[in-house]
Amino acid sequence: MKDLKARGLLDDTLVIWGGEFGRTPMGENRESTGRNHHIECATAWLAGGGTRPGTIVGQTDELGFSAVEDPVHVHDLHATILHLLGLEHTKLTFKFQGRDFRLTDVKGNVVRKILA
C-alpha cells in the first residue's frame, strides 16, 4: 500500500482484501461437531481506485454473527467493484433459458458511501 501510494499508483489501483469473518464459539449438532463459520457476515477491505479513504460501511452484532447496521450484500459489493473498474453491472446482463443472468445475479446496488 505504501509503495503504491508513494508512486502515485493508488489513485488508479483498486486493492481488494476479503476473508471469512471468523468462527463461532459454538458447534452445530451434526455427525462431526465443529465450530461453525459466520455465514451471514464477512469482512471486505477496499483501498484506492476511487474509494473514499477511512470509510466504514456496516456493523455486526457483538459476536460478528449478524449484520445490525448498513448491511452490504455480496451482490452490492460486486456491483461496487465493477463500478470502480468502470463497468456498469446492469449492462452485463444476458439471457439464458429465459432468465436474465449477470455477475450480480440481476441484483446489487453500488454502495455509494465508499465512493470518493
Side-chain angles (χ1 to χ4, degrees), residues 48-100:
T51 60
R52 182 177 296 146
T55 303
I56 298 172
V57 178
Q59 182 177 335
T60 65
D61 61 14
E62 60 199 27
L63 294 176
F65 198 71
S66 297
V68 295
E69 184 180 308
D70 290 334
V72 175
H73 193 277
V74 68
H75 298 312
D76 299 332
L77 177 62
H78 290 165
T80 304
I81 291 169
L82 289 169
H83 175 83
L84 290 166
L85 294 174
L87 299 168
E88 172 56 48
H89 73 102
T90 60
K91 293 185 178 182
L92 300 174
T93 305
F94 65 95
K95 278 208 178 294
F96 179 70
Q97 294 184 345
R99 182 184 182 276
D100 285 340

Side-chain angles (χ1 to χ4, degrees), residues 1-52:
M1 294 295 298
K2 287 181 182 179
D3 187 48
L4 288 171
K5 188 173 183 177
R7 296 171 189 268
L9 296 172
L10 198 53
D11 295 337
D12 298 324
T13 304
L14 178 62
V15 180
I16 304 169
W17 177 90
E20 178 186 34
F21 197 82
R23 296 271 191 151
T24 59
M26 60 282 212
E28 188 178 326
N29 287 331
R30 53 186 173 183
E31 196 170 306
S32 60
T33 301
R35 294 186 305 158
N36 297 338
H37 293 268
H38 290 283
I39 59 172
E40 292 186 27
C41 295
T43 299
W45 182 88
L46 284 73
T51 60
R52 182 177 296 146

